[in-house]
Structures are given as C-alpha cells and as structure tokens.
Amino acid sequence: MRRDESKLFTALLLDHKEINSISLFASSLRTFAPTALIMTFPVMADVLRPEFRPESGKKFELVSDYIPAGDQPQAIAELLAGLEAGTKDQVLLGVTGSGKTFTVAHVIQTVQRPTLILAPNKTLAAQLYGEMKSFFPNNAVEYFVSFYDYYQPEAYVPRTDTYIEKESTINEQIDRMRHSATRALLERDDVIIVASVSCIYGIGSVETYSKMVLTLQKGAAQSRDDILRSLIEMHYKRNDDSFGRGFFRVRGDVVEVFPSHLEDRAWRLSFFGDELESITEVDPLTGEKIAQMEVVKLYANSHYVTPKPTINQAITHIKRDAKIRVEELHEANKLIEAQRIGERTQFDMEMMLATGSCAGIENYSRYLTGRKPGEAPPTLFEYLPKNALLILDESHVMIPQLNAMYKGDYARKSTLSEFGFRLPSCVDNRPLKFEEWEAFRPQTIFVSATPGPWELNQTGGVFTEQIVRPTGLTDPPVIIRPTEHQVDDLLAECRLVVGKGLRVLVTTLTKKMAEALTEYMGEAGLKVCYIHSDVETLERIEIIRDFRLGVYDVLIGINLLREGLDIPECGLVAILDADKEGYLRSRTSLIQTIGRAARNIEGRAILYADSITGSMKAAIEETDRRREKQKEYNIAHNITPETVKKEISNILHSAYEADYLTVDTGVAEGELIGKDIKSHLKALHAKMNEAASNLEFEEAARLRDEIHRLEARELGLAAPNARPSKRFEPRKRGRR
C-alpha cells in the first residue's frame, strides 16, 4: 500500500472518532424445546454452525484463462499482505477496466474465506454475481437482494388521516436465492454472497433458522407422520395438486417435498413402516429420477420460522406490552388509537397461535428473537462466520446508502406507533444503524475508482492502487472550453465524433435543459435522446441499448455517471456548466463521468466552464495523473493500444476488465422487445402446466427451461444452467 502524498487525498481525511462497540444482544434460543429465550451475539457474529455439514470442506477454485497483469499482481499482493497482518480496513482504488473484480477473485481464492460482496443496486449486484459465478463455477456463489418486485410499505399520513396498508409482490426466484444464500453460509465454507443494501434489513434469527432443520437419512427410523408435522412447523404447505417450491405432497408411503432453496429439484421420500427406505432427487415437473441420496438437510421455508414454544413465550410479552400501550393511550385520551392497537394486536396474536405466523409478523421480531428494546435486529451479517471477508463495491456510493437507511425507516414506523397502528416495538424491525453495521462487519476491502472520505479516514489515507489496464487503454484527455457558445461548439464536436462512427454522452444540470438541448440537436439533424429520472428504469436500459446499436448517436442526461456502466462506443463525454459546484459537479462525479470515455481509444472529455473550480482541478489532476502512469506503463512494456483498435470490442469483454456492466444490445431477444415479460411468463406457466397435465413431459420440460432462462434475463442474471430433458434438444429462440 502507499500513502497518498498529494493534497487531493489528505484534504479528504476527517478527524477520526473512535466508534465504541455497541452492546450486542443477550439470549439463546433452543429450537423445538420450550426453554427460555436467552441469546448472545458477539461482535462479528461468531455463528455456531451445524455439527453435521456434509457439504463443508470444499476449497475455492478460480477458473480463468487469464493471469493477473498490469497493476493486478501488485494489488493482489498488497491486499493479501494486509489481510494476513489483520488489517481491518483496506481501500482498492481501481479505475474502470483495470479488472478490480478479477483482483478480488484472486484474493478470495488465496485466503479461502467466505465472502460477502455489497453492491449499490440490483443491476451491479447481478453483474457481480454473474462474474463471480463464472470465476467460481464449482463453488457456492449466491445472490441476496430485496425479493420485492413491488413494495408499498405500511404508513400513516396524519395530516390527511390516510392509512396506507402494506402491499408487495414477492419475486419467487429471488426469494429462492435468498434461502440458498443463508443455507450455504451455514452448510459450506466455499461461499460468496453478492448482496445489495437489503442485507442490513432484518430477517429471521440465525439461531432459530439454523435449528429448524430436518435431517433425513436413508435407513433411519423416521416415521412419516413425524416428518409431516416437522414440515408444517417449518412453514412448508401441503398441496397434492399444484407442486411447487415450499410445498410437499403425500401419496401413501411416499412424501415429495420441494426444498425452499432449490429451483428445479425435489426430494422423494419413500417409507417402509417407520423406516425411511430411500431418498431420491427428482424432477418435480416430469417425475424423472435424477439421483439417489444417502442424507439430505432441509431448511425452513421462511426466514421468520419460529417454533411453537417460542411463539407462546413471545405472546406473553406482546400481551403485556399491548396492555401497557392501551393504558397509555387511554390516559392521553386517544380512545380511537387505543381501540385500534388493542384489536389489531389481539388479532395478530390469535393468528400466530393458530398458524405460527401473521401478516406483518416482522413487526414482532423483537419478541420472537428475545432482543431488548433498541437492540439491533437479526440480519444477514449474523449468518456470517467469524473469518468472513467483506467487499464493498463502489464504496463511495455504498457508505452513504448504509448510513441513510435507518433514519427514513424510523420516521415512518414511529408515526405508525404513535397513532395506534403498531406497538412501539415495531421500530425495532429495522435496518442496522451505521454504528451497528460498523461493529458487525469483519475485515473489509473498499473498492472504488473514487473512494469516499469515510473509507480513506478508516485507513488513514492508505490505499492500494490499480490504475493500469492490462489492455493498455488510458484515461481520456480532458479539455476545458468556455461556456459562451457551448451549445454550438458541442454541436460541431458531436458531428465530428458521429462521423467517426462513435457516440457522445452529454450531461446537463436540469431536466428542462436536457429536453431543450435534445430538441435543438434533433432539429439540427442529429439522432439524439435524453434520459433522466422521469424515464422508467426498463426504458432507460432500452435507450442505452439503442444508443449502443446506433439508433441514437447522442445521449443527454442529468447524471450520466452510472458506476460500473460501460459504453465502449463512447468517443466523447461533454459536461456542460462544469464550473457550477454541487453534487453533479463534485470531484467524485466529475471523475466518474469523465471515466465513461475511458472505454474507447479515441475517447475525450470536454468540460465547458468559465473558471476552474476546486472540484474540476482535483478531477483533472487525478485523471492526468492516472493517464501519465498508464502511458509510462505502456511504454515500459511496449504496449500500443492503437494497434488493437479494431478488436477493442473483444478486449473489453475479457476477464481482466469484467468490473462493469455492458448493456446488452438484446439482438438475440428481439422478439420480446416492447412486450410485457410478466404476461409472457404467465402464459408460458399456463402452457407448461397444461402440457404436464396432458403427460407431454418433454414439452413441459422445454417450457420450464425457457421460463427459467427468461426469469434470469429479467433479473439481469446470467442464464442459469438449466438442465434440459435427456430426450430432446431445446429449440433455439431469437433472430437468425
């Protein structure tokens, strides 16, 4: 590592304030036994894993045709040295295209430690998941993001006396992957979890989840009825007609169960009296036998699963707190609120006693986990073993996200509590506070092209640098021009760049200006489009895809920096009014936006400004510093980027540079463009079920594989390795 000697980084350092370890929780839960709720959670969550782990002991195995090059060998060595020395925090400053993901993969391969990778949004999380899956095809690479396709949280607006009921749509595919992730952390050592900020939100207690496990062994004395009772306690549902994930069905002495973590496999349990005679893995759609198994472990169908004794004990505490709350509201002469909370709490308690759950059970998580008021909720971080490694991708975005989650959640829930919609305990069903996250996290590597002040403060300004690209590409030259006649000058530059077959990105300060500039350039004969927050997310991706295809030559927006976004055809980035200080013209934003032109040999950046602000100066100095170092490396190693100009599209997809998202041009999926993918999937499900009911299992299996492929595409994930039927070859789709 090197200590930054320039004023640029030392100016970012803040006075360090020691964050005291938070007092972390008491009590331990004995599942399936009516004992007391007493839990202890040491910092960094030293989780007690199951004693019997048949899948443990496997090593990480990195699969790649490439070897580290450029700055990668030095960066890998420095990061490994820091981890070996026990350094809590390290920063990897790596430019776009330098292969940060490849570097991190080598670190994981060497240290052989379970790893959690945080990404700032689902798009980048999906990209990282695909990359890690390709690097570690033989290991457990998992995906943990919010499983809501649509989420309207419960809320109350006192000003208009409006109550908004919670409404959500759960994505079954992501829910399965979340279960697969938590199971892998408890069962395996070779685990990489790629997650979003969702991982700091409450899920079920790891103590409960790890105990609510059903171990099934061939030849063991296990009666069918006992297993059925256990399945119901673990929130599996019986359905003999429609068999899907999280369900089981019974046919005489044969029980089939569809585990919560599997996508296209089910387990068939055959009994002879009270003996489990055989365990067979089968295709749930066709019934085809896949493998005979000696022993399997089945985890609960919900992270909020709770054994009956714990529910009984929790209800005692809920009744007590509900009584106290009703009395408080009566004393305050809030009679409506008192009646509201009394009736609602009574209904929820009756539902929990009858079914083991209720709508909004997460609001009672404090009672179900034995936590004290104000203590942190159980999150994915409690599932991590003590030797885990944490990677924060685009840390300059992740840290503010982690810092902001708690406050917004508290404001909404405190209002619900005040007006009698929830008990005060609902505020403890929340994301982690930043200080709690800080206490929980293990050794951490912060990865960014522009590390933020908090990360640099944690490392005292020390960072590992990775700015040389193995391909020889350099950061773009930065040109400053006056704002007078900036639109006309930009128009001339656009025509010049478009004439070379390249694209132009333009950033403005307001939506109105972006739209007006789009209209002006369109009238001047350019193929232009704008993109900003009013444009729907899916439409943004379509616009960028069309931009890459040449439907548009110029793309205008407010905040075109998209960390990790790659547009290889971009030959010019133009920043209008660059001297207007603010978030969109800060040092970090300018460096990230300028970097969008670093993917093309002829890339340039033009900043229109009448004066050079501090942010502009810092961004230009840092870009020039990186560019000079990249040039020196190219000269020393006899690399001439221009010589591979025609093959740049192939180079950009190398494993060296797989640390960004290239928007798919969608040519192979052309037949679905403009269609409602959810309606299409629903229709395919109907056809699949109809084919299965007609005993046309080959056609049903083909449709099943097509559904999985489209679901993965919709989530932005790499297509899963769908297992086609042995008796047919899946039909190719798309344009020929």
Side-chain angles (χ1 to χ4, degrees):
M1 291 182 196
R2 62 184 289 272
R3 180 170 295 278
D4 179 45
E5 301 178 73
S6 71
K7 295 180 181 179
L8 177 61
F9 282 98
T10 54
L12 290 172
L13 301 182
L14 307 174
D15 292 334
H16 181 66
K17 295 182 180 179
E18 187 71 15
I19 300 177
N20 295 324
S21 296
I22 59 174
S23 160
L24 293 176
F25 329 108
S27 65
S28 148
L29 183 59
R30 301 288 179 227
T31 310
F32 295 133
T35 52
L37 285 153
I38 309 178
M39 291 189 257
T40 55
F41 294 93
V43 173
M44 290 173 58
D46 189 8
V47 176
L48 183 63
R49 291 177 169 182
E51 293 182 5
F52 176 65
R53 297 196 302 148
E55 299 177 70
S56 64
K58 194 170 184 179
K59 300 293 185 182
F60 282 109
E61 180 186 354
L62 177 60
V63 177
S64 175
D65 295 330
Y66 303 91
I67 60 173
D71 277 349
Q72 290 172 341
Q74 176 187 346
I76 293 169
E78 291 182 2
L79 293 173
L80 289 174
L83 293 173
E84 181 69 23
T87 304
K88 177 71 179 291
D89 303 306
Q90 297 185 78
V91 171
L92 173 60
L93 190 159
V95 298
T96 299
S98 62
K100 299 186 289 293
T101 307
F102 193 56
T103 296
V104 169
H106 271 276
V107 170
I108 295 172
Q109 152 81 8
T110 305
V111 299
Q112 293 290 321
R113 291 163 59 179
T115 302
L116 174 62
I117 304 176
L118 298 189
N121 56 57
K122 285 184 179 181
T123 303
L124 287 184
Q127 176 72 7
L128 281 169
Y129 171 77
E131 292 164 8
M132 285 297 173
K133 197 81 171 173
S134 65
F135 286 140
F136 298 99
N138 303 316
N139 302 110
V141 179
E142 307 292 348
Y143 189 62
F144 192 97
V145 300
S146 171
F147 56 15
Y148 293 114
D149 279 338
Y150 168 76
Y151 182 67
Q152 170 61 62
E154 183 182 26
Y156 178 67
V157 184
R159 183 172 57 85
T160 58
D161 190 27
T162 303
Y163 172 70
I164 303 170
E165 191 172 1
K166 176 182 175 180
E167 185 179 355
S168 63
T169 303
I170 291 178
N171 187 302
E172 289 295 326
Q173 174 83 338
I174 296 180
D175 183 45
R176 179 196 66 78
M177 298 175 88
R178 286 166 63 98
H179 278 283
S180 180
T182 50
R183 176 188 177 278
L185 282 172
L186 296 174
E187 291 293 324
R188 304 182 62 159
D189 302 312
D190 58 327
V191 183
I192 299 173
I193 309 288
V194 180
S196 67
V197 73
S198 174
C199 68
I200 70 168
Y201 280 77
I203 58 174
S205 164
V206 64
E207 280 70 29
T208 306
Y209 185 76
S210 63
K211 300 288 185 181
M212 295 284 274
V213 177
L214 184 60
T215 302
L216 303 168
Q217 187 167 2
K218 180 181 176 181
Q222 294 176 295
S223 76
R224 190 202 70 160
D225 292 346
D226 288 343
I227 287 177
L228 295 182
R229 278 191 288 269
S230 296
L231 289 173
I232 293 170
E233 287 182 343
M234 296 165 67
H235 287 204
Y236 283 86
K237 299 177 182 177
R238 179 170 178 172
N239 192 324
D240 293 342
D241 299 320
S242 180
F243 191 45
R245 192 180 66 85
F247 290 91
F248 68 93
R249 60 187 177 192
V250 185
R251 295 173 179 172
D253 287 337
V254 176
V255 177
E256 291 183 340
V257 58
F258 203 136
S260 60
H261 68 283
L262 293 181
E263 184 176 14
D264 56 0
R265 302 286 192 278
W267 295 337
R268 180 179 295 159
L269 314 176
S270 299
F271 293 88
F272 184 77
D274 286 343
E275 178 185 341
L276 182 54
E277 189 175 35
S278 66
I279 305 172
T280 308
E281 188 174 64
V282 299
D283 186 315
L285 185 65
T286 66
E288 176 189 356
K289 294 181 180 179
I290 299 169
Q292 293 293 329
M293 310 179 78
E294 293 296 320
V295 60
V296 294
K297 295 184 71 175
L298 183 67
Y299 277 78
N301 190 39
S302 169
H303 285 111
Y304 292 100
V305 65
T306 310
K308 192 74 171 181
T310 304
I311 290 178
N312 292 336
Q313 187 170 0
I315 284 177
T316 302
H317 297 291
I318 295 171
K319 282 182 178 178
R320 180 199 63 198
D321 287 359
K323 183 179 179 181
I324 294 172
R325 182 59 177 160
V326 169
E327 291 175 354
E328 289 175 349
L329 292 171
H330 272 295
E331 290 175 2
N333 200 31
K334 295 183 177 180
L335 304 182
I336 295 177
E337 288 84 348
Q339 181 182 8
R340 181 185 292 150
I341 191 62
E343 291 179 352
R344 180 163 202 169
T345 306
Q346 182 64 31
F347 177 78
D348 288 346
M349 288 189 293
E350 291 173 357
M351 287 296 295
M352 282 191 279
L353 283 172
T355 67
S357 184
C358 71
I361 191 174
E362 63 274 8
N363 290 291
Y364 300 103
S365 61
R366 192 181 84 193
Y367 305 104
L368 297 172
T369 58
R371 310 274 163 133
K372 295 178 180 178
E375 288 187 337
T379 64
L380 183 67
F381 278 85
E382 289 187 8
Y383 287 73
L384 297 177
K386 189 175 182 179
N387 69 330
L389 178 64
L390 177 63
I391 310 291
L392 262 70
D393 190 39
E394 306 296 354
S395 60
H396 66 284
V397 178
M398 279 303 309
I399 293 299
Q401 273 190 9
L402 293 166
N403 213 348
M405 292 297 106
Y406 168 75
K407 295 176 183 177
D409 186 82
Y410 178 81
R412 176 175 60 84
K413 288 183 177 173
S414 60
T415 302
L416 288 170
S417 171
E418 180 182 354
F419 288 91
F421 290 95
R422 290 290 177 189
L423 289 176
S425 61
C426 73
V427 300
D428 289 320
N429 169 46
R430 56 175 175 80
L432 291 176
K433 298 176 183 176
F434 189 77
E435 295 79 7
E436 293 167 341
W437 172 80
E438 167 72 1
F440 267 112
R441 67 182 178 87
Q443 278 186 298
T444 307
I445 298 175
F446 302 95
V447 180
S448 175
T450 53
W454 189 88
E455 306 95 282
L456 292 170
N457 176 52
Q458 293 297 107
T459 62
V462 177
F463 60 90
T464 296
E465 195 169 61
Q466 184 174 309
I467 64 175
V468 173
R469 300 179 179 89
T471 56
L473 287 169
T474 63
D475 277 25
V478 180
I479 304 166
I480 300 177
R481 292 182 180 172
T483 59
E484 187 178 8
H485 307 304
Q486 61 179 351
V487 173
D488 292 333
D489 183 82
L490 174 61
L491 191 60
E493 287 289 344
C494 288
R495 287 175 173 151
L496 181 64
V497 172
V498 170
K500 297 179 181 179
L502 302 177
R503 315 282 187 269
V504 180
L505 288 174
V506 182
T507 63
T508 65
L509 285 175
T510 65
K511 296 177 184 178
K512 185 176 180 180
M513 184 175 180
E515 294 171 2
L517 186 60
T518 300
E519 183 179 355
Y520 179 78
M521 287 190 165
E523 292 174 352
L526 289 173
K527 295 184 291 183
V528 61
C529 184
Y530 68 83
I531 182 171
H532 52 59
S533 60
D534 289 346
V535 179
E536 295 293 333
T537 302
L538 294 178
E539 189 179 348
R540 292 178 204 171
I541 295 177
E542 289 184 8
I543 289 173
I544 296 174
R545 184 194 63 239
D546 290 341
F547 182 60
R548 292 196 60 224
L549 286 170
V551 175
Y552 307 114
D553 291 324
V554 181
L555 186 59
I556 302 173
I558 313 300
N559 184 12
L560 280 178
L561 80 92
R562 288 285 183 271
E563 286 77 4
L565 184 66
D566 169 61
I567 300 176
E569 297 82 4
C570 179
L572 173 65
V573 168
I575 303 176
L576 302 181
D577 300 309
D579 53 354
K580 300 295 188 293
E581 280 278 19
Y583 169 73
L584 296 177
R585 299 295 181 262
S586 66
R587 171 190 170 275
T588 297
S589 294
L590 289 173
I591 291 176
Q592 290 282 352
T593 307
I594 291 169
R596 300 313 100 199
R599 313 306 308 124
N600 194 291
I601 293 171
E602 297 188 16
R604 295 176 299 144
I606 299 179
L607 276 60
Y608 291 95
D610 293 324
S611 61
I612 298 179
T613 63
S615 296
M616 286 177 60
K617 182 180 179 183
I620 293 169
E621 287 178 354
E622 177 63 10
T623 302
D624 288 344
R625 182 185 73 84
R626 296 176 182 183
R627 182 175 172 81
E628 288 304 314
K629 184 170 182 179
Q630 291 157 355
K631 283 183 175 180
E632 291 173 6
Y633 181 90
N634 290 346
I635 293 172
H637 294 80
N638 198 28
I639 296 175
T640 307
E642 288 76 10
T643 59
V644 292
K645 178 179 177 182
K646 292 182 179 179
E647 298 181 0
I648 190 168
S649 60
N650 295 327
I651 293 172
L652 294 176
H653 287 84
S654 73
Y656 285 130
E657 301 191 312
D659 59 358
Y660 51 78
L661 170 67
T662 302
V663 177
D664 188 4
T665 56
V667 173
E669 302 291 342
E671 73 278 6
L672 290 177
I673 293 176
K675 295 183 179 179
D676 183 354
I677 186 70
K678 293 188 183 298
S679 298
H680 183 66
L681 286 171
K682 187 176 180 180
L684 286 180
H685 271 288
K687 290 181 180 178
M688 179 186 72
N689 292 331
E690 182 182 357
S693 63
N694 293 334
L695 305 182
E696 298 172 355
F697 294 121
E698 291 187 357
E699 177 65 11
R702 186 191 70 77
L703 290 168
R704 186 269 316 276
D705 293 341
E706 177 69 3
I707 289 169
H708 290 168
R709 184 182 70 82
L710 291 175
E711 286 177 340
R713 175 180 176 270
E714 183 188 11
L715 294 175
L717 304 176
N721 296 322
R723 182 187 55 82
S725 170
K726 296 178 181 178
R727 297 180 292 276
F728 78 101
E729 184 68 23
R731 186 169 68 231
K732 302 291 185 182
R733 294 181 64 88
R735 296 175 182 170
R736 297 182 181 272

